[in-house]
Amino acid sequence: MLAQALSSRGAAVPAEPALASLPPVGEQRCGLIAIVGKPNVGKSTLLNALVGQKVSITSRKAQTTRHRITGMRTRQATQFIFVDTPGFQTRHGNALNRSLNRTVVGAVNDVDLIVFVVEAGQFNLADAKVLALLPEKTPAILLANKFDLIHRRAEIAPWLRSMQERHNFAEFVPMSANNAKDIERLFGICEKYLPVQPWMYEADALTDRSDRFMAAEIIREKLFRLTGDELPYTSTVIIDKYEEEGNLRKVAATIVVERDGHKGMIIGEKGEKLKRIGTEARHELETLTGGKVFLEIWVKVRSGWADDEARVKTFGYE
């Protein structure tokens, strides 16, 4: 598993001092925390900051996260299990988006705590549709992200009152996911909502996702970042081969698009765009795995795949 490899090579977050002597099981806390919100509101950035290691890809493109990504962080006697979810989709009703929305609904009904992420001072229809999914029985924290960008803090009070009228939030947390002190404070807030029970994972675990899965995600991140808004959100990445030979990983991947024009967009003039996607993905994979990576990427057209339930499942969506 990538999480184990990261921790053993020192690429993960530094071990907490208390981990050298594990607390008795009877004193351990452990719980699931769902991070939910509309697309592109900063959920994956928050997850990575909480875990202390990149486990969920990010880009400016909405709908970057498409899977239920689990990241763990164990601190003293408490193991936090964070679940990053796709942004709830309202603009398109195809099979892919229906799959993503099922993932969100499933996550919020199976956790001990919900962190509802919004931009501080903002609330629109997309936020409202996510908020409507939150079960009353599960405590929810209103996390006002990007609070550092608010210049007149006094204007937040009316907004906060309106948010409390919309849902019975357990707490209100103004913060920035890029601020280390805010992240530290959030741990303390979340901890008291987690039940006393044995840990579910090893103390140094970072994610439950495999190396193969992370390879696909990293390639998809580079794809989105290097093509910008030109490329439709329905492009995806399939790993055809992932083989380990000592310190070498051999990876073969296919980028799937819906139209011939999208294929040309990814390949670029004389193949330069695809080459850059591959180079950046390979460098990041080598950093994560601590070894050499041989990466081959092809681009194929599968017209209408995002609205084909069977193909969506074949491509690994829940």
Side-chain angles (χ1 to χ4, degrees):
M1 287 287 289
L2 180 59
Q4 296 170 326
L6 283 168
S7 57
S8 64
R9 280 190 295 274
V13 294
E16 301 287 344
L19 296 186
S21 178
L22 298 181
V25 171
E27 298 178 8
Q28 293 177 1
R29 284 182 179 270
C30 179
L32 289 155
I33 304 167
I35 302 173
V36 301
K38 68 183 180 183
N40 222 22
V41 77
K43 299 183 299 297
S44 295
T45 299
L46 176 63
L47 173 66
N48 292 338
L50 288 163
V51 173
Q53 171 68 46
K54 181 177 178 179
V55 295
S56 188
I57 66 173
T58 61
S59 81
R60 291 181 295 104
K61 197 176 189 70
Q63 209 194 40
T64 299
T65 299
R66 291 187 181 169
H67 301 270
R68 175 173 169 153
I69 309 291
T70 302
M72 308 88 170
R73 184 79 176 271
T74 303
R75 294 162 51 91
Q76 287 81 47
T78 303
Q79 184 169 87
F80 303 83
I81 305 173
F82 299 101
V83 182
D84 184 21
T85 59
F88 193 77
Q89 306 300 315
T90 59
R91 294 181 59 190
H92 307 279
N94 60 25
L96 174 60
N97 279 349
R98 290 194 295 272
S99 171
L100 303 187
N101 287 349
R102 285 194 296 269
T103 299
V104 179
V105 173
V108 298
N109 285 286
D110 190 31
V111 295
D112 300 291
L113 177 66
I114 296 170
V115 175
F116 176 58
V117 184
V118 294
E119 289 190 28
Q122 304 291 321
F123 189 83
N124 59 24
L125 181 59
D127 295 303
K129 290 192 174 183
V130 180
L131 184 59
L133 301 175
L134 306 193
E136 290 292 337
K137 62 181 177 62
T138 305
I141 290 171
L142 174 63
L143 191 152
N145 196 22
K146 305 180 184 179
F147 191 71
D148 53 318
L149 302 181
I150 300 294
H151 301 297
R152 301 178 66 178
R153 303 293 172 85
E155 296 177 355
I156 285 292
W159 175 79
L160 175 57
R161 285 195 294 271
S162 71
M163 294 303 297
Q164 283 295 148
E165 290 171 359
R166 296 176 190 276
H167 187 87
N168 185 26
F169 289 103
E171 302 200 34
F172 165 58
V173 184
M175 62 171 285
S176 167
N178 295 315
N179 186 306
K181 290 184 178 178
D182 285 349
I183 292 297
E184 185 68 24
R185 181 165 55 92
L186 184 58
F187 276 115
I189 292 169
C190 292
E191 184 173 27
K192 59 180 175 285
Y193 293 97
L194 305 186
V196 175
Q197 62 179 355
W199 296 343
M200 299 180 188
Y201 298 93
E202 295 296 322
D204 60 352
L206 295 177
T207 181
D208 63 348
R209 288 298 191 171
S210 67
D211 295 17
R212 185 186 187 101
F213 174 86
M214 291 301 298
E217 289 289 274
I218 287 169
I219 295 168
R220 192 162 60 84
E221 178 187 67
K222 306 312 175 190
L223 170 67
F224 283 169
R225 287 192 172 187
L226 293 174
T227 56
D229 295 330
E230 305 170 76
L231 190 68
Y233 75 96
T234 50
S235 305
T236 195
V237 176
I238 308 301
I239 299 298
D240 304 304
K241 179 180 73 173
Y242 190 101
E243 296 177 351
E244 296 186 33
E245 296 179 3
N247 206 36
L248 172 67
R249 272 88 173 160
K250 294 182 178 180
V251 183
T254 299
I255 296 173
V256 179
V257 296
E258 291 196 301
R259 298 179 183 175
D260 288 323
H262 302 161
K263 181 176 180 179
M265 193 184 301
I266 294 169
I267 294 174
E269 187 175 353
K270 297 181 180 179
E272 287 302 313
K273 182 66 68 68
L274 183 60
K275 181 179 179 181
R276 188 178 171 193
I277 291 169
T279 298
E280 292 197 10
R282 177 174 57 80
H283 286 165
E284 184 162 340
L285 283 168
E286 288 180 340
T287 298
L288 287 175
T289 61
K292 297 294 293 181
V293 174
F294 178 71
L295 175 62
E296 295 180 294
I297 304 177
W298 291 269
V299 184
K300 295 181 180 179
V301 178
R302 293 291 182 269
S303 181
W305 78 267
D307 204 21
D308 183 329
E309 294 278 2
R311 186 160 278 174
V312 165
K313 290 181 179 179
T314 299
F315 287 173
Y317 296 97
E318 297 173 5

